[in-house]
Amino acid sequence: MVNTTISPAVMRGVLEQLPAMSGKIVDDTRHEKVLSYMRLFLESPTAIAQLLEWRLLEIVGSCLQHSSDYRVSAVAIRFLGDCLAVPTQGREAWLAINSGDKLILRWIAESVDSQHALVRFACLYFIRQAAAMADERFDALAEAVDYRRFILRRLLDSSYFVVTEACALLGSMFYRRGAIDPSLYQLVERLVSRPFGVQTTPRKMAVLAAAVTLFGIREESVRVYALEQFSQDRLQLYLFDDDRLIRDKALDVLEHALRLSTDGACVTKVVKSLGARLSLRCAKRKVHALVALRCLAAIGKEIPANVALGCPELLSQCLGIVHFALSILLHAHGISHQAPETVSSTDALAAIETEVLDLMDGTQPGSGTIANSVACEAARVVREYCRTTFDQQVFAVLEQLLEDKAVQRNAQQLHLVLDAIIHSLRLAKKACFSHLLVLPSIVANFAIQAPGLKLLFDLVLESIGEQADVDSAQFKQFVQLLSQSVKARLADVEWEVRDTALEFISAAATSLEWAKAQGLVADGGLLQDIVSALSDTEEYVRASGAQALVAILGSADMAFRQQIAGHDGLCCQQLEQLVSDSEAFVKRAALDLIYALGDLAVTGRIESREWMRCLTYSKLYQMGDAPDFEIRVRCARILALLARWMHFADIAADDKAFVAELQADALLLDMCTDSSRYVRRVCLDSLLHMKHAYEASIGGRDMAVQVETGDGRGGKRQTIEQGGGSSSSESFYRKLCGIDFARLESTLTAEHLYQEALDTQVEKEMMTEMQDPNIGNNILDCY
C-alpha cells in the first residue's frame, strides 16, 4: 500500500513542527524522508495557497535562525525551491518570497558559501528553481549572490553533488531570454583558457563538467560554441591526464562532441591525434594505449548515430576501426584476422595497431595483464559499434570468439563479446526473424553464466513478444530449439543458472500470450523440470520453481492447469515439505503456489485436493503468527479462501469436514488485530466481502438486521440456516456483524500510521539522547 497523498491537517502539523526537528538524533537520510513526505502535498491543486495561509514563509524563516540545525535549514530551503517549481502556482510563492523584509533571500545570499555542503546544495537548488521565473526579481537575487563568481566557486566545490547542481544552474542560466548570457560566456572562457599545466584537479573536473553541461543545452548556438571551446586538441590533454577520473570525464565530453559534430573530418582528426600520442612511447604507454582504444570505442558508438555525419565514408571508417579492434582481440588469443577487402584502413589506424600489438607481445592474455586489458578494450570497441550497427561479417567473428575456450575462461571478455552479440541480434531481428535462430544455441552455451543468460532471455522475451505469426514453421522451430536449450540450463551445475532459467519461464508465462508461451512451456516438456526444481538443494531455486508454477497457473489453458494440478510432484507430501521449508522466501513462494491451486479448485476449474490436504490447523496457526509479515499476508489469503469455500460453496461432505477442522474462519478473525496493516487489509477485504455475501443470501440488508437483532415477522428470527446455511455459518455471520469495519479501515491508511507515531507515548528512559550528533533513539522528534 503506497501513500501518494497527504491531507492538509497532517501537512500543517508537519510544517509547524519543522523548525523544532531534532538535529542531534536524526541523520541526513531521515531529513530526506521528511522532505519527500512534504513534497507529496505539492501535488494538490491548491497547495501553495494553503501553505501561504499557514504562514509558510514565517515557518521557513524560523528554520533559518543562527541556532537552527543546518540540515533543518537545508530542508526548508529545498522545500521552498520545490514550491517554486509547482506548475502555475510557483509564481505565487515567488512573489510572496520577494515581499516584506525578504529574510529568506538575504539568508540565501549569505549562505551560498556555507561550510556545510548540504546548505550550499540547498542554495543552488533554490536559485536554479527561481531562475525559471526569469524576471527582475530573480535578476536582483542573481546579482546579490554575484552569480558569475558563485557558479565558478561551486563548479570547483569539493562535493560531487554540489558540482552537479552547479552544472544544472549553469545550464539553466547560460542561455536566457533568447541569447547567451555574456557574463557566463566570459566565465566559461576564463575557466577553459587557463593553461592546462597549471590547472588543479578540481579545476580540470570543473572544465569538463561545464563542457558536458553546455553540450546538453539544446540551443544550436550554444552547441556550436561548446564545440569551438572544447576542440580535439584541447580535449586530448584531458584524455591523457594522469588522473583516471579526469580521463573518464574527458571521454564523456568526447562522446558528446562526436555526437554533435558536423565536421566530416572529425574521425580522421581523432585517429591521427591518437596515433601521434602513442608514437611518443612515453612512460605511461600502457595507459595511453587503453585510452586510445576507449576513444575509438566512442567513435564506433557515436558516429553511426550522428545524423549530420551519416555519410558512407565515415561509416566505412567506423567499420575499419571495428575490424582493427577484432584483429587486436583475436591476436590476444593467437588467431589471425583478415578484414574484408571492402574495409579500408588508414595509416594512422595502422600505426595505432602496430603500437598496440607491440605492447601486447611477450604477455599472456590472462587476467590482470596488459594483454587482457587491451583485449577487453578492443572488445568494448566492437560492443559500442554493435549498439547502433549490425554487420554480418562482424557478427560471424563474434560467434567465433564466443566458442573460443580462451574467451570462455575470461569472464570480462566473454561478457563484452556476448553483449556485442545481443546488441547485434536486437538490431538484426528488426530486419529478419531468421537471424534469431542462432539464439537457442547461444543460450545452450554452458560457458555463459547467469548475468549473461539473463540478458539473452530478455532478448528472447522481446523477440517472441514482437512476433505476430506464431503458426509459422520458423517460429515453431525457434521455440522448439529454445525449449531444449532452457531444459539443458535447468540441469546446469550452477544454481544461479537454474534460478535464472526458472525466472525466465515465469516472465514468459506472465508477459507473453499463452499461445506464444505454450510452445515453450507446455509443448517443450519443461513441466517435469520445473516441478523437480521444488526439491532442489538450493533454496533460491526451490522458490523460483514455485513462482514459475504460479505464473503458469495464472495464464495457461485449463488442460495444462489440470495437468499441473495432477502432477505427481505436487502431491500432498511434496507441498507440505515445501510449505515447511526453513527459508522464509521459499515458504512465501510455497504459499503462493497453494493459493493459486486452491483458487482454481474452489472455483471448480481444476480437480485437486492436494493443496488443501497439506494444511493443518497447527500449521496455519503457526504461519498466522510468523515473524515475517509477508508469510502472514499469504496465510490470511489462504484462510479467506478456505472460509469462503466452506460457507458459500456446495462441496462434498468429507471436504467440508476437513476444512472445518482447519478453523480457517476463526483464525482469519483473529488476524484482524495483526500488527501489519497489509495483513489487516486482507482480513478486512475478505471479511467484508463475505458479510455482504451473507446479507445478499438472506434477502438484503433488512433481513441481515433481523438476523443481527432477532426481530422479524411473527416475532421469529430468520436464521441463515433457514436460508440454506448452517449453524456454523450463522455463528460466523454474527461474529462478522460484531466487527467495526469502519474502525478497521481507518487503521489501514499511511496517515493513520503517521499520526499513531506522533501519539505514541514512549518511556522516558527510552527517549535518551546522547551528546554526540546523530546518536539517540528519539526518532519521533523528526516528525
Side-chain angles (χ1 to χ4, degrees), residues 315-328:
L315 297 179
S316 177
Q317 288 179 316
C318 290
L319 188 57
I321 290 173
V322 172
H323 279 282
F324 148 79
L326 287 173
S327 66
I328 296 294

Side-chain angles (χ1 to χ4, degrees), residues 543 546-547 550 579 584-596 611 615 619-620 623-624 626 628-642 668 671 674 676 678-680 682-683:
Q547 289 163 355
V550 171
V579 83
F585 60 87
V586 178
K587 191 173 293 186
R588 292 196 293 264
L591 291 174
D592 285 337
L593 177 58
I594 290 173
Y595 181 83
W611 66 275
L615 300 173
K619 194 178 297 295
L620 289 170
M623 289 189 294
D628 186 344
F629 83 92
E630 293 191 36
I631 290 179
R632 302 201 303 273
V633 166
R634 288 161 172 80
C635 178
R637 293 175 64 210
I638 292 175
L639 291 173
L641 182 70
L642 291 168
L668 185 63
M671 295 188 76
D674 193 275
S676 169
Y678 298 100
V679 176
R680 297 199 300 271
V682 174
C683 295

Side-chain angles (χ1 to χ4, degrees), residues 188 199 220 231 270 378 403 526 536 568 648 661 765 772 777:
V188 173
Q199 290 184 16
E220 185 63 26
S231 62
V270 173
E403 298 298 327
L526 296 181
D536 197 277
D568 294 339
F648 293 98
E661 291 179 1
E765 56 267 23
D772 298 331
N777 56 15

Side-chain angles (χ1 to χ4, degrees), residues 125-168:
Y125 182 77
F126 178 88
I127 295 172
R128 180 166 67 86
Q129 301 298 343
M133 301 303 161
D135 58 9
E136 66 280 359
R137 299 175 184 84
F138 173 73
D139 292 341
L141 174 61
E143 291 299 328
V145 300
D146 191 3
Y147 71 97
R148 309 162 193 83
R149 294 184 176 85
F150 166 59
I151 292 178
L152 178 59
R153 291 195 301 273
R154 296 290 72 80
L155 286 173
L156 299 171
D157 200 281
S158 59
S159 168
Y160 167 81
F161 298 100
V162 172
V163 172
T164 302
E165 189 61 33
C167 289

Side-chain angles (χ1 to χ4, degrees), residues 426-478:
R426 184 167 276 114
L427 295 173
K429 68 181 176 64
K430 297 177 181 179
C432 182
F433 186 82
S434 61
H435 287 297
L436 294 177
L437 293 178
V438 300
L439 255 180
S441 62
I442 298 175
V443 169
N445 189 328
F446 282 89
I448 300 174
Q449 295 304 301
L453 197 61
K454 186 180 186 309
L455 296 175
L456 286 169
F457 283 146
D458 289 343
L459 177 60
V460 168
L461 288 175
E462 179 184 317
S463 304
I464 295 178
E466 294 173 352
Q467 183 66 13
D469 187 6
V470 296
D471 295 323
S472 66
Q474 194 175 73
F475 179 77
K476 290 182 177 179
Q477 178 190 5
F478 172 77

Side-chain angles (χ1 to χ4, degrees), residues 374-558:
V374 169
C376 289
E377 292 301 333
R380 186 173 282 106
V381 173
V382 181
R383 192 267 305 272
E384 296 305 319
Y385 176 80
C386 291
R387 288 182 187 275
T388 56
T389 309
F390 173 75
D391 184 88
Q392 186 64 55
Q393 294 170 321
V394 172
F395 184 77
V397 178
L398 289 171
E399 284 188 289
Q400 177 187 354
L401 283 165
L402 190 63
E403 298 298 327
D404 186 82
K405 298 299 182 183
V407 173
Q408 292 178 359
R409 288 192 295 268
N410 190 306
Q412 190 176 7
Q413 290 184 29
L414 179 64
H415 174 75
L416 289 167
V417 170
L418 179 63
D419 207 14
I421 288 175
I422 290 172
H423 285 301
S424 295
L425 288 175
R426 184 167 276 114
L427 295 173
K429 68 181 176 64
K430 297 177 181 179
C432 182
F433 186 82
S434 61
H435 287 297
L436 294 177
L437 293 178
V438 300
L439 255 180
S441 62
I442 298 175
V443 169
N445 189 328
F446 282 89
I448 300 174
Q449 295 304 301
L453 197 61
K454 186 180 186 309
L455 296 175
L456 286 169
F457 283 146
D458 289 343
L459 177 60
V460 168
L461 288 175
E462 179 184 317
S463 304
I464 295 178
E466 294 173 352
Q467 183 66 13
D469 187 6
V470 296
D471 295 323
S472 66
Q474 194 175 73
F475 179 77
K476 290 182 177 179
Q477 178 190 5
F478 172 77
V479 172
Q480 181 182 5
L481 293 173
L482 180 64
S483 63
Q484 295 172 3
S485 298
V486 173
K487 190 179 185 68
R489 301 319 296 266
L490 285 171
D492 198 287
V493 294
E494 298 291 340
W495 72 263
E496 293 96 336
V497 173
R498 301 196 299 274
D499 186 60
T500 301
L502 289 167
E503 288 178 349
F504 162 68
I505 294 172
S506 297
T510 54
S511 63
L512 299 177
E513 303 169 12
W514 178 245
K516 295 179 178 180
Q518 182 176 5
L520 175 67
V521 179
D523 301 339
L526 296 181
L527 178 58
Q528 179 59 50
D529 301 275
I530 299 172
V531 173
S532 297
L534 300 179
S535 304
D536 197 277
T537 56
E538 176 56 46
E539 56 268 21
Y540 289 100
V541 178
R542 297 197 295 272
S544 294
Q547 289 163 355
L549 289 172
V550 171
I552 296 169
L553 286 169
S555 60
D557 55 33
M558 293 310 305

